[in-house]
Amino acid sequence: MKFRIYQPFFDQSHLAGLDQEFEHVDHMDNPAPTLREHPINLKCYDRAVAEGLDVWGMFSWKWRQKLPSLTAQAVLDYVADNPDYDIYFFNPFTEQEVYCYNVWEQGQWCHPAILEICEELFPAIGLDPELLYQPMACDTMCWANYYMGNKTFWDEWLALINRYIKTLPQLSPRVQALHESSANYGLDGNLNYFAFIHERLFSTYLLANKHRFRIKAYHHGWQNLGKDANIMRNLKLQAIEHHSKSMLEEWNRLRTPLVGGRNWGSEWIAKY
């Protein structure tokens, strides 16, 4: 299997921290910063196809801040030791998939307009809006843009994001305004909703297509979660595999006091 990880840089100051095991991509022109990783993924796609790669992906220049226990070589070894998957992803925040019903529930906690936007956006880009309310487990949940895939994945994924971008001007004025408003991100209050929807769409794409792809998931630090958290993690996975509302309700009961009493789960489970 011929594979590669690309690593973009936006400024000369990034160069010293780049990983020599990855292939560097000069993106200092950054013509569309509001679109975050998407233009870089398009640039990497052209390189990967020209190089005849089977699988490729892109890790940011600061990825080790979120995956501190890994080295670049360890990432490459992980892929090499698990060949012939269609999609690989590296989730830095395993605790989120334990305590959150899905990526959109967590998104609504942090970015208050995300569901209202996506309820209109999803059907406009060819996604079932019910995907917003389906439970997700460790086989599909990822909270960072650290993933690799084959050409089929990239063709479909990039096409989906292109539809998202092209569809925005056709949405209702209210939803357009919400999308361009602050997403309430603590590290940068100027960011609109694109980055946070784009990131969560990856997990939604996996959920909608997991029957078609072989997916290999790496979850950072799951061994350190503790016994109770891993029981909850496995309970939710089994509930989804067996389509069991009663198991999901038990998971929801266990997690509710651990997430500050937030409990949207019962209403969402009823839709499952």
Side-chain angles (χ1 to χ4, degrees):
M1 186 176 70
K2 189 177 179 182
F3 66 93
R4 180 162 292 138
I5 293 178
Y6 298 102
Q7 188 172 42
F9 58 94
F10 303 82
D11 188 270
Q12 289 289 343
S13 63
H14 301 165
L15 294 175
L18 298 181
D19 298 278
Q20 297 309 308
E21 296 88 346
F22 297 161
E23 182 170 318
H24 305 156
V25 178
D26 185 343
H27 198 64
M28 288 196 290
D29 58 335
N30 201 11
T34 59
L35 297 182
R36 312 294 288 179
E37 291 86 356
H38 184 61
I40 311 168
N41 282 331
L42 292 171
K43 187 180 291 187
C44 293
Y45 177 94
D46 291 340
R47 283 199 187 190
V49 171
E51 295 175 21
L53 299 182
D54 299 304
V55 170
W56 68 91
M58 187 270 289
F59 277 35
S60 80
W61 62 275
K62 54 184 179 179
W63 70 274
R64 281 172 293 173
Q65 295 176 18
K66 294 182 178 180
L67 292 165
S69 66
L70 288 178
T71 63
Q73 189 59 54
V75 172
L76 297 176
D77 290 344
Y78 181 81
V79 177
D81 291 342
N82 296 278
D84 301 323
Y85 284 86
D86 302 308
I87 300 171
Y88 302 79
F89 71 85
F90 295 79
N91 177 31
F93 304 118
T94 303
E95 68 280 1
Q96 299 279 28
E97 48 118 328
V98 175
Y99 301 116
C100 300
Y101 182 81
N102 66 19
V103 295
W104 300 105
E105 182 191 55
Q106 187 269 353
Q108 185 72 2
W109 294 346
C110 301
H111 314 293
I114 203 166
L115 284 178
E116 183 176 352
I117 295 167
C118 289
E119 283 176 346
E120 184 172 325
L121 174 68
F122 270 38
I125 62 175
L127 292 176
D128 185 345
E130 286 303 308
L131 287 168
L132 290 164
Y133 304 102
Q134 297 304 301
M136 294 177 179
C138 54
D139 55 344
T140 58
M141 293 179 86
C142 186
W143 267 275
N145 294 302
Y146 306 145
Y147 43 80
M148 305 170 66
N150 61 20
K151 187 174 182 296
T152 299
F153 159 73
W154 282 110
D155 284 341
E156 295 181 6
W157 172 242
L158 294 175
L160 176 65
I161 303 306
N162 282 332
R163 288 200 302 276
Y164 170 16
I165 295 165
K166 291 177 181 178
T167 297
L168 280 174
Q170 303 168 26
L171 301 179
S172 67
R174 172 176 171 77
V175 167
Q176 287 186 56
L178 285 174
H179 187 275
E180 297 310 307
S181 68
S182 170
N184 195 40
Y185 182 52
L187 296 179
D188 186 350
N190 293 319
L191 286 179
N192 68 13
Y193 274 80
F194 181 84
F196 308 99
I197 293 173
H198 176 273
E199 183 177 78
R200 287 167 179 79
L201 277 174
F202 174 73
S203 296
T204 302
Y205 174 87
L206 292 185
L207 179 66
N209 294 282
K210 66 179 185 178
H211 62 288
R212 299 173 49 224
F213 291 117
R214 293 188 68 214
I215 301 169
K216 185 66 176 176
Y218 177 92
H219 291 277
H220 172 66
W222 70 266
Q223 304 94 328
N224 303 320
L225 287 173
K227 180 180 178 181
D228 291 345
N230 270 304
I231 288 173
M232 292 173 61
R233 184 174 189 254
N234 288 320
L235 177 61
K236 185 168 66 160
L237 179 62
Q238 291 297 313
I240 295 170
E241 287 184 351
H242 296 287
H243 205 88
S244 171
K245 285 188 177 182
S246 62
M247 292 173 71
L248 270 179
E249 287 165 353
E250 176 61 11
W251 167 83
N252 190 50
R253 183 188 70 80
L254 291 171
R255 67 94 184 226
T256 296
L258 303 175
V259 291
R262 294 174 172 135
N263 186 2
W264 296 345
S266 296
E267 180 181 344
W268 290 21
I269 291 168
K271 297 181 180 184
Y272 185 45

